[in-house]
């Protein structure tokens, strides 16, 4: 059976060089394996979505020479390919989790959680959820809803560790309870959390290998748990190293890392940009101008 891979950008600003490098690597991984390549737009967090960003992202990817077999502009059998149009699918996954008691309503406000000052998460600043609402009775839940409180929904994370082998990063292990605790799948404002949306989409779009930036390595255990709770097959993961700026910091749309426009204004061709992205990714030592299509055969691909 033919495999399926994807690139899933968020339209919160123009794609910067790091995003474009990940897109190029995801495309090459799919094309080398003769897999289908799917473009999915992760536009769920609407306040952060920038008007026009989706169209510019697609145009920038095409300008580089990338293409896709399914996506918001070309259609396909397993769409829609915009997360903002997939609300029913997320709702039915939530309903399945809820029917089996695998998620529970949480009434904690951010302020309450900050005051709890629980054990800090090992690496990031998100505190581990202390389980405040884990054992509310039905009557307590009804009483809070009756006075107008709207809950978020959290996964009842089972104890134990999640293990997986990342194609690039090797064997990984995470104890989700210690790392983040019961995590949110639906926010109190109704927005579906990234962790659930991405799992529903990867499962229902039949994704067999996920290639994405190493900043998401930490989320993978949570996603694998959700695949398992929903009885869906877990894809393979390949987390590619992130491009950094001259000071070694991760590029970010928020800190206005530059998109393609400035390169184009300075006369850079798509082939020059692709050659450079591939050189920095370590798969094209000369950095000479080239095309994504030529790299399918010629790139020094370090992963299998
Ligand atoms: N939408 C996410 C991002 O732009 C990527 C999600 C994923 O690849 O799983 O960072």
């Amino acid at each position: 059976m033919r495999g399926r891979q994807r690139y899933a950008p968020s339209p919160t600003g123009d794609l910067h060089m790091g995003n474009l490098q990940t897109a190029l690597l995801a495309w090459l991984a799919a094309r080398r394996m003769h897999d289908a390549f799917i473009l999915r737009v992760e536009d769920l967090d609407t306040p952060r979505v920038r008007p026009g960003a989706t169209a510019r992202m697609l145009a920038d990817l095409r300008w580089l020479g990338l293409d896709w077999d399914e996506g918001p502009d070309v259609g396909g059998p397993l769409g829609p390919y915009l997360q903002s149009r997939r609300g029913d699918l997320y709702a039915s996954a939530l309903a399945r989790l809820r029917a089996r008691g695998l998620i529970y309503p949480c009434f904690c406000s951010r302020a309450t959680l900050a005051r709890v000052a629980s054990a800090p998460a090992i690496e990031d600043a998100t505190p581990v959820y202390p389980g405040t609402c884990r054992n509310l009775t039905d009557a307590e839940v009804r009483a809070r809803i009756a006075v107008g409180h709207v809950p978020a929904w959290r996964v009842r994370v089972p104890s134990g560790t999640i293990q997986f082998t990342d194609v690039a990063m090797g064997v990984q292990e995470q104890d989700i309870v210690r790392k983040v605790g019961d995590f949110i799948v639906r926010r109190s404002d109704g927005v579906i959390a990234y962790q659930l949306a991405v799992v529903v989409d990867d499962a229902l779009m039949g994704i067999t290998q996920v290639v994405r930036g190493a900043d998401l390595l930490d989320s993978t255990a949570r996603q694998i748990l959700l695949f398992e709770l929903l009885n869906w097959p877990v894809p393979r993961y390949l987390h590619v190293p992130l491009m950094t700026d001259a000071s070694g910091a991760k590029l970010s749309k928020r800190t206005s890392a530059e998109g393609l426009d400035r390169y184009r204004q300075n006369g850079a061709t798509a082939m020059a940009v692709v050659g450079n992205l591939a050189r920095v990714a370590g798969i094209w030592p000369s950095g000479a101008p080239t095309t994504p299509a030529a790299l399918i055969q010629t790139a020094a691909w370090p992963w299998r």
Side-chain angles (χ1 to χ4, degrees), residues 6 8-10 42 194 198 212 216:
R6 49 64 156 192
S10 305
E42 305 214 316
Y194 157 71
V198 80
R212 60 185 178 190
L216 291 165

Side-chain angles (χ1 to χ4, degrees), residues 19 61 96 190 204-205 277 281:
N19 301 136
L61 294 168
R96 279 176 59 203
L204 299 184
M205 292 180 183
L277 289 173

Side-chain angles (χ1 to χ4, degrees), residues 122-142:
I122 291 130
E123 275 151 32
D124 50 50
T126 321
V128 174
Y129 180 65
T132 319
C133 293
R134 194 178 228 251
N135 298 312
L136 294 180
T137 63
D138 286 350
E140 285 169 321
V141 169
R142 275 198 304 273

Side-chain angles (χ1 to χ4, degrees), residues 6-12 15 19 22 40-43 57 83 194-195 198-199 202 210-213 215-216 219-220 223 237 239 250 253:
R6 49 64 156 192
Y7 178 59
S10 305
T12 52
L15 296 172
N19 301 136
T22 302
R40 176 172 80 230
V41 175
E42 305 214 316
D43 57 349
M57 280 185 341
Q83 285 192 329
Y194 157 71
Q195 306 294 359
V198 80
V199 166
D202 285 340
V210 171
V211 178
R212 60 185 178 190
D215 52 335
L216 291 165
S219 289
T220 308
Q223 293 172 20
Y237 288 94
H239 287 87
K250 175 192 158 192
K253 288 179 192 150

Side-chain angles (χ1 to χ4, degrees), residues 224-237:
I224 290 174
L225 173 66
L226 288 171
F227 278 106
E228 289 173 350
L229 295 178
L230 288 158
N231 289 315
W232 282 327
V234 178
R236 290 200 331 157
Y237 288 94

Side-chain angles (χ1 to χ4, degrees), residues 176-298:
I176 304 172
V177 173
R178 288 191 47 213
K179 176 84 191 173
V180 288
D182 292 347
F183 58 92
I184 290 186
V185 283
R186 184 182 186 274
R187 300 192 329 213
S188 60
D189 62 4
V191 174
I192 301 297
Y194 157 71
Q195 306 294 359
L196 179 65
V198 80
V199 166
V200 170
D201 292 346
D202 285 340
L204 299 184
M205 292 180 183
I207 300 302
T208 51
Q209 175 165 282
V210 171
V211 178
R212 60 185 178 190
D215 52 335
L216 291 165
L217 187 62
D218 244 19
S219 289
T220 308
R222 270 169 274 173
Q223 293 172 20
I224 290 174
L225 173 66
L226 288 171
F227 278 106
E228 289 173 350
L229 295 178
L230 288 158
N231 289 315
W232 282 327
V234 178
R236 290 200 331 157
Y237 288 94
L238 195 177
H239 287 87
V240 298
L242 292 184
M243 194 187 273
T244 53
D245 67 16
S247 71
K250 175 192 158 192
L251 303 184
S252 150
K253 288 179 192 150
R254 266 160 299 180
T255 58
S256 72
E258 277 163 356
L260 278 174
D261 277 347
R262 201 181 59 92
Y263 292 81
R264 281 187 289 238
Q265 279 154 18
N266 293 340
T269 62
M271 285 178 70
V273 173
V274 169
N276 204 41
L277 289 173
R279 179 186 59 78
V280 176
I283 60 170
W284 185 238
S286 77
T290 186
T291 61
L295 285 171
I296 299 172
Q297 299 296 333
T298 55

Side-chain angles (χ1 to χ4, degrees), residues 144-201:
R144 288 176 200 215
I145 289 174
V147 296
H149 293 298
V150 181
W153 286 82
R154 289 183 186 270
V155 181
R156 207 177 279 285
V157 177
S159 58
T161 58
I162 300 273
Q163 262 209 18
F164 64 100
T165 302
D166 186 86
V167 177
M169 306 286 177
V171 177
Q172 306 290 316
E173 194 179 274
Q174 190 180 91
D175 179 343
I176 304 172
V177 173
R178 288 191 47 213
K179 176 84 191 173
V180 288
D182 292 347
F183 58 92
I184 290 186
V185 283
R186 184 182 186 274
R187 300 192 329 213
S188 60
D189 62 4
V191 174
I192 301 297
Y194 157 71
Q195 306 294 359
L196 179 65
V198 80
V199 166
V200 170
D201 292 346

